Amino acid sequence: KTEILTALEKKGYPVIDLEGLAAHRGSVFGRVDLPERSQKEFEAKLYHRLKEIGETPYYIIESESKRLGNIIIPDFILEGKQKGTRIQVHAPLSYRIHTILNTYHPEQHHEEITDAITKIEKRFSCEDKEVIDQALKAKNYAMIIERLLLYYYDPRYEHKAYENEGNIINLSYESLEEGTQLVQNEIDRLDIKLRSEGEKVSL
């Protein structure tokens, strides 16, 4: 999702990269290989980005919860996310694993990854805990990611998706280029409606 948002921002779309502004990726692993950032710093960066975007009837964000680590997301953004159009993107498991490996570089942050897993392992099934523990010992990070995606994160995302009050659009893609184009097409198609109604779009 972050890759698509970055690509759209480069094309001039009104993207607010909340994770980038907060220096947190929005999970228990969110601070791995990223600096600490205070609420004040986040708000200053958010203000600067809003001024940079200027007048716009809509903005595009990644669907986030109230908190990104120690950072609290402003209510006006959360309200817009809740009522706006949601674009749900789906990529193949292998593509997602590859992207996460390239983003987090877990081989360079083994202790941080281990500490993060310890914080959530009480929510694992006995089988998942055993598989992940063995994969950690072998430093088989691809296996860890696969297990976490299939049996921990995906079920949670699926549940949260239905909390959205607005329209939900589902898109499937095989590459970053394809995913970006599909999302861009939907945003362009909805542009007249967004401009007339002032909706918000989340990804």
Side-chain angles (χ1 to χ4, degrees), residues 170-191:
N170 284 283
L171 301 174
S172 296
Y173 65 98
E174 300 284 339
S175 68
L176 173 59
E177 292 74 18
E178 181 186 14
T180 301
Q181 190 60 57
L182 287 172
V183 173
Q184 182 178 332
N185 291 345
E186 289 297 334
I187 292 173
D188 290 345
R189 185 177 65 82
L190 292 167
D191 187 61

PDB file of all heavy atoms in Angstrom, residues 170-191:
ATOM      1  N   ASN A 170     -12.725  -3.189  -4.404  1.00  0.00           N
ATOM      2  CA  ASN A 170     -11.687  -4.217  -4.296  1.00  0.00           C
ATOM      3  C   ASN A 170     -10.902  -4.314  -5.602  1.00  0.00           C
ATOM      4  O   ASN A 170     -11.496  -4.415  -6.685  1.00  0.00           O
ATOM      5  CB  ASN A 170     -12.317  -5.572  -3.969  1.00  0.00           C
ATOM      6  CG  ASN A 170     -12.732  -5.673  -2.512  1.00  0.00           C
ATOM      7  OD1 ASN A 170     -11.902  -5.862  -1.637  1.00  0.00           O
ATOM      8  ND2 ASN A 170     -14.026  -5.507  -2.246  1.00  0.00           N
ATOM      9  N   LEU A 171      -9.578  -4.282  -5.502  1.00  0.00           N
ATOM     10  CA  LEU A 171      -8.702  -4.374  -6.664  1.00  0.00           C
ATOM     11  C   LEU A 171      -7.615  -5.419  -6.416  1.00  0.00           C
ATOM     12  O   LEU A 171      -7.063  -5.488  -5.321  1.00  0.00           O
ATOM     13  CB  LEU A 171      -8.031  -3.024  -6.945  1.00  0.00           C
ATOM     14  CG  LEU A 171      -8.940  -1.821  -7.223  1.00  0.00           C
ATOM     15  CD1 LEU A 171      -8.106  -0.552  -7.329  1.00  0.00           C
ATOM     16  CD2 LEU A 171      -9.738  -2.036  -8.504  1.00  0.00           C
ATOM     17  N   SER A 172      -7.294  -6.205  -7.422  1.00  0.00           N
ATOM     18  CA  SER A 172      -6.211  -7.184  -7.334  1.00  0.00           C
ATOM     19  C   SER A 172      -5.140  -6.838  -8.354  1.00  0.00           C
ATOM     20  O   SER A 172      -5.464  -6.431  -9.478  1.00  0.00           O
ATOM     21  CB  SER A 172      -6.738  -8.598  -7.602  1.00  0.00           C
ATOM     22  OG  SER A 172      -7.661  -8.984  -6.597  1.00  0.00           O
ATOM     23  N   TYR A 173      -3.877  -7.010  -7.989  1.00  0.00           N
ATOM     24  CA  TYR A 173      -2.789  -6.660  -8.894  1.00  0.00           C
ATOM     25  C   TYR A 173      -1.608  -7.587  -8.695  1.00  0.00           C
ATOM     26  O   TYR A 173      -1.485  -8.261  -7.673  1.00  0.00           O
ATOM     27  CB  TYR A 173      -2.375  -5.203  -8.703  1.00  0.00           C
ATOM     28  CG  TYR A 173      -1.770  -4.877  -7.350  1.00  0.00           C
ATOM     29  CD1 TYR A 173      -0.392  -4.813  -7.177  1.00  0.00           C
ATOM     30  CD2 TYR A 173      -2.578  -4.612  -6.247  1.00  0.00           C
ATOM     31  CE1 TYR A 173       0.167  -4.508  -5.959  1.00  0.00           C
ATOM     32  CE2 TYR A 173      -2.024  -4.306  -5.014  1.00  0.00           C
ATOM     33  CZ  TYR A 173      -0.656  -4.259  -4.874  1.00  0.00           C
ATOM     34  OH  TYR A 173      -0.108  -3.960  -3.656  1.00  0.00           O
ATOM     35  N   GLU A 174      -0.722  -7.616  -9.696  1.00  0.00           N
ATOM     36  CA  GLU A 174       0.445  -8.499  -9.684  1.00  0.00           C
ATOM     37  C   GLU A 174       1.764  -7.747  -9.537  1.00  0.00           C
ATOM     38  O   GLU A 174       2.783  -8.339  -9.219  1.00  0.00           O
ATOM     39  CB  GLU A 174       0.490  -9.310 -10.989  1.00  0.00           C
ATOM     40  CG  GLU A 174      -0.731 -10.191 -11.236  1.00  0.00           C
ATOM     41  CD  GLU A 174      -0.731 -11.449 -10.389  1.00  0.00           C
ATOM     42  OE1 GLU A 174       0.361 -11.846  -9.925  1.00  0.00           O
ATOM     43  OE2 GLU A 174      -1.819 -12.027 -10.179  1.00  0.00           O
ATOM     44  N   SER A 175       1.749  -6.430  -9.792  1.00  0.00           N
ATOM     45  CA  SER A 175       2.970  -5.643  -9.721  1.00  0.00           C
ATOM     46  C   SER A 175       2.645  -4.246  -9.229  1.00  0.00           C
ATOM     47  O   SER A 175       1.482  -3.814  -9.241  1.00  0.00           O
ATOM     48  CB  SER A 175       3.637  -5.544 -11.103  1.00  0.00           C
ATOM     49  OG  SER A 175       2.830  -4.773 -11.980  1.00  0.00           O
ATOM     50  N   LEU A 176       3.668  -3.527  -8.797  1.00  0.00           N
ATOM     51  CA  LEU A 176       3.467  -2.155  -8.324  1.00  0.00           C
ATOM     52  C   LEU A 176       2.880  -1.279  -9.417  1.00  0.00           C
ATOM     53  O   LEU A 176       1.965  -0.488  -9.169  1.00  0.00           O
ATOM     54  CB  LEU A 176       4.801  -1.574  -7.847  1.00  0.00           C
ATOM     55  CG  LEU A 176       4.795  -0.082  -7.476  1.00  0.00           C
ATOM     56  CD1 LEU A 176       3.805   0.204  -6.363  1.00  0.00           C
ATOM     57  CD2 LEU A 176       6.209   0.364  -7.083  1.00  0.00           C
ATOM     58  N   GLU A 177       3.399  -1.417 -10.626  1.00  0.00           N
ATOM     59  CA  GLU A 177       2.913  -0.597 -11.732  1.00  0.00           C
ATOM     60  C   GLU A 177       1.432  -0.848 -11.987  1.00  0.00           C
ATOM     61  O   GLU A 177       0.647   0.093 -12.172  1.00  0.00           O
ATOM     62  CB  GLU A 177       3.720  -0.891 -13.002  1.00  0.00           C
ATOM     63  CG  GLU A 177       5.162  -0.447 -12.961  1.00  0.00           C
ATOM     64  CD  GLU A 177       6.039  -1.345 -12.088  1.00  0.00           C
ATOM     65  OE1 GLU A 177       5.614  -2.499 -11.799  1.00  0.00           O
ATOM     66  OE2 GLU A 177       7.133  -0.906 -11.691  1.00  0.00           O
ATOM     67  N   GLU A 178       1.048  -2.114 -12.007  1.00  0.00           N
ATOM     68  CA  GLU A 178      -0.351  -2.451 -12.248  1.00  0.00           C
ATOM     69  C   GLU A 178      -1.232  -1.944 -11.107  1.00  0.00           C
ATOM     70  O   GLU A 178      -2.301  -1.373 -11.332  1.00  0.00           O
ATOM     71  CB  GLU A 178      -0.521  -3.965 -12.394  1.00  0.00           C
ATOM     72  CG  GLU A 178      -1.969  -4.371 -12.668  1.00  0.00           C
ATOM     73  CD  GLU A 178      -2.167  -5.881 -12.661  1.00  0.00           C
ATOM     74  OE1 GLU A 178      -1.259  -6.611 -12.194  1.00  0.00           O
ATOM     75  OE2 GLU A 178      -3.236  -6.329 -13.105  1.00  0.00           O
ATOM     76  N   GLY A 179      -0.782  -2.152  -9.864  1.00  0.00           N
ATOM     77  CA  GLY A 179      -1.560  -1.711  -8.719  1.00  0.00           C
ATOM     78  C   GLY A 179      -1.751  -0.205  -8.703  1.00  0.00           C
ATOM     79  O   GLY A 179      -2.854   0.294  -8.450  1.00  0.00           O
ATOM     80  N   THR A 180      -0.679   0.527  -8.988  1.00  0.00           N
ATOM     81  CA  THR A 180      -0.763   1.984  -9.021  1.00  0.00           C
ATOM     82  C   THR A 180      -1.733   2.449 -10.093  1.00  0.00           C
ATOM     83  O   THR A 180      -2.560   3.348  -9.860  1.00  0.00           O
ATOM     84  CB  THR A 180       0.627   2.591  -9.288  1.00  0.00           C
ATOM     85  OG1 THR A 180       1.530   2.173  -8.255  1.00  0.00           O
ATOM     86  CG2 THR A 180       0.562   4.108  -9.301  1.00  0.00           C
ATOM     87  N   GLN A 181      -1.671   1.847 -11.272  1.00  0.00           N
ATOM     88  CA  GLN A 181      -2.553   2.239 -12.373  1.00  0.00           C
ATOM     89  C   GLN A 181      -4.012   1.948 -12.054  1.00  0.00           C
ATOM     90  O   GLN A 181      -4.894   2.764 -12.332  1.00  0.00           O
ATOM     91  CB  GLN A 181      -2.145   1.525 -13.660  1.00  0.00           C
ATOM     92  CG  GLN A 181      -2.863   2.054 -14.904  1.00  0.00           C
ATOM     93  CD  GLN A 181      -2.581   3.527 -15.145  1.00  0.00           C
ATOM     94  OE1 GLN A 181      -1.426   3.928 -15.279  1.00  0.00           O
ATOM     95  NE2 GLN A 181      -3.628   4.340 -15.205  1.00  0.00           N
ATOM     96  N   LEU A 182      -4.266   0.795 -11.446  1.00  0.00           N
ATOM     97  CA  LEU A 182      -5.645   0.440 -11.097  1.00  0.00           C
ATOM     98  C   LEU A 182      -6.224   1.419 -10.077  1.00  0.00           C
ATOM     99  O   LEU A 182      -7.371   1.868 -10.207  1.00  0.00           O
ATOM    100  CB  LEU A 182      -5.694  -0.984 -10.541  1.00  0.00           C
ATOM    101  CG  LEU A 182      -5.500  -2.120 -11.554  1.00  0.00           C
ATOM    102  CD1 LEU A 182      -5.379  -3.460 -10.821  1.00  0.00           C
ATOM    103  CD2 LEU A 182      -6.654  -2.169 -12.547  1.00  0.00           C
ATOM    104  N   VAL A 183      -5.437   1.738  -9.062  1.00  0.00           N
ATOM    105  CA  VAL A 183      -5.897   2.686  -8.051  1.00  0.00           C
ATOM    106  C   VAL A 183      -6.094   4.061  -8.680  1.00  0.00           C
ATOM    107  O   VAL A 183      -7.097   4.750  -8.430  1.00  0.00           O
ATOM    108  CB  VAL A 183      -4.910   2.760  -6.876  1.00  0.00           C
ATOM    109  CG1 VAL A 183      -5.306   3.881  -5.909  1.00  0.00           C
ATOM    110  CG2 VAL A 183      -4.873   1.430  -6.128  1.00  0.00           C
ATOM    111  N   GLN A 184      -5.148   4.471  -9.504  1.00  0.00           N
ATOM    112  CA  GLN A 184      -5.246   5.765 -10.169  1.00  0.00           C
ATOM    113  C   GLN A 184      -6.503   5.843 -11.028  1.00  0.00           C
ATOM    114  O   GLN A 184      -7.208   6.864 -11.028  1.00  0.00           O
ATOM    115  CB  GLN A 184      -4.004   6.001 -11.033  1.00  0.00           C
ATOM    116  CG  GLN A 184      -3.993   7.350 -11.736  1.00  0.00           C
ATOM    117  CD  GLN A 184      -2.725   7.559 -12.549  1.00  0.00           C
ATOM    118  OE1 GLN A 184      -1.681   7.014 -12.224  1.00  0.00           O
ATOM    119  NE2 GLN A 184      -2.815   8.350 -13.597  1.00  0.00           N
ATOM    120  N   ASN A 185      -6.808   4.768 -11.744  1.00  0.00           N
ATOM    121  CA  ASN A 185      -8.004   4.745 -12.580  1.00  0.00           C
ATOM    122  C   ASN A 185      -9.268   4.948 -11.751  1.00  0.00           C
ATOM    123  O   ASN A 185     -10.194   5.670 -12.161  1.00  0.00           O
ATOM    124  CB  ASN A 185      -8.109   3.422 -13.337  1.00  0.00           C
ATOM    125  CG  ASN A 185      -7.046   3.271 -14.415  1.00  0.00           C
ATOM    126  OD1 ASN A 185      -6.398   4.247 -14.795  1.00  0.00           O
ATOM    127  ND2 ASN A 185      -6.853   2.051 -14.888  1.00  0.00           N
ATOM    128  N   GLU A 186      -9.319   4.286 -10.578  1.00  0.00           N
ATOM    129  CA  GLU A 186     -10.495   4.411  -9.712  1.00  0.00           C
ATOM    130  C   GLU A 186     -10.620   5.829  -9.173  1.00  0.00           C
ATOM    131  O   GLU A 186     -11.720   6.391  -9.118  1.00  0.00           O
ATOM    132  CB  GLU A 186     -10.421   3.407  -8.556  1.00  0.00           C
ATOM    133  CG  GLU A 186     -10.635   1.969  -8.970  1.00  0.00           C
ATOM    134  CD  GLU A 186     -12.021   1.715  -9.548  1.00  0.00           C
ATOM    135  OE1 GLU A 186     -12.969   2.458  -9.208  1.00  0.00           O
ATOM    136  OE2 GLU A 186     -12.150   0.776 -10.358  1.00  0.00           O
ATOM    137  N   ILE A 187      -9.493   6.413  -8.772  1.00  0.00           N
ATOM    138  CA  ILE A 187      -9.531   7.772  -8.247  1.00  0.00           C
ATOM    139  C   ILE A 187      -9.961   8.754  -9.329  1.00  0.00           C
ATOM    140  O   ILE A 187     -10.777   9.653  -9.090  1.00  0.00           O
ATOM    141  CB  ILE A 187      -8.159   8.164  -7.665  1.00  0.00           C
ATOM    142  CG1 ILE A 187      -7.891   7.334  -6.402  1.00  0.00           C
ATOM    143  CG2 ILE A 187      -8.109   9.659  -7.340  1.00  0.00           C
ATOM    144  CD1 ILE A 187      -6.512   7.517  -5.832  1.00  0.00           C
ATOM    145  N   ASP A 188      -9.416   8.576 -10.531  1.00  0.00           N
ATOM    146  CA  ASP A 188      -9.809   9.454 -11.634  1.00  0.00           C
ATOM    147  C   ASP A 188     -11.289   9.300 -11.965  1.00  0.00           C
ATOM    148  O   ASP A 188     -11.988  10.278 -12.238  1.00  0.00           O
ATOM    149  CB  ASP A 188      -8.967   9.136 -12.877  1.00  0.00           C
ATOM    150  CG  ASP A 188      -7.517   9.551 -12.719  1.00  0.00           C
ATOM    151  OD1 ASP A 188      -7.219  10.336 -11.794  1.00  0.00           O
ATOM    152  OD2 ASP A 188      -6.679   9.083 -13.513  1.00  0.00           O
ATOM    153  N   ARG A 189     -11.771   8.039 -11.908  1.00  0.00           N
ATOM    154  CA  ARG A 189     -13.179   7.782 -12.217  1.00  0.00           C
ATOM    155  C   ARG A 189     -14.102   8.435 -11.185  1.00  0.00           C
ATOM    156  O   ARG A 189     -15.185   8.910 -11.509  1.00  0.00           O
ATOM    157  CB  ARG A 189     -13.420   6.283 -12.261  1.00  0.00           C
ATOM    158  CG  ARG A 189     -14.830   5.868 -12.682  1.00  0.00           C
ATOM    159  CD  ARG A 189     -14.968   4.369 -12.767  1.00  0.00           C
ATOM    160  NE  ARG A 189     -14.811   3.737 -11.472  1.00  0.00           N
ATOM    161  CZ  ARG A 189     -15.793   3.651 -10.572  1.00  0.00           C
ATOM    162  NH1 ARG A 189     -16.967   4.194 -10.814  1.00  0.00           N
ATOM    163  NH2 ARG A 189     -15.580   3.038  -9.430  1.00  0.00           N
ATOM    164  N   LEU A 190     -13.636   8.464  -9.946  1.00  0.00           N
ATOM    165  CA  LEU A 190     -14.450   9.022  -8.869  1.00  0.00           C
ATOM    166  C   LEU A 190     -14.220  10.519  -8.664  1.00  0.00           C
ATOM    167  O   LEU A 190     -14.876  11.138  -7.828  1.00  0.00           O
ATOM    168  CB  LEU A 190     -14.122   8.296  -7.557  1.00  0.00           C
ATOM    169  CG  LEU A 190     -14.549   6.826  -7.470  1.00  0.00           C
ATOM    170  CD1 LEU A 190     -13.890   6.169  -6.266  1.00  0.00           C
ATOM    171  CD2 LEU A 190     -16.058   6.707  -7.370  1.00  0.00           C
ATOM    172  N   ASP A 191     -13.331  11.089  -9.438  1.00  0.00           N
ATOM    173  CA  ASP A 191     -12.897  12.466  -9.181  1.00  0.00           C
ATOM    174  C   ASP A 191     -14.048  13.470  -9.187  1.00  0.00           C
ATOM    175  O   ASP A 191     -14.137  14.335  -8.313  1.00  0.00           O
ATOM    176  CB  ASP A 191     -11.843  12.874 -10.210  1.00  0.00           C
ATOM    177  CG  ASP A 191     -11.237  14.224  -9.871  1.00  0.00           C
ATOM    178  OD1 ASP A 191     -10.634  14.336  -8.786  1.00  0.00           O
ATOM    179  OD2 ASP A 191     -11.392  15.158 -10.668  1.00  0.00           O
TER     180      ASP A 191
END
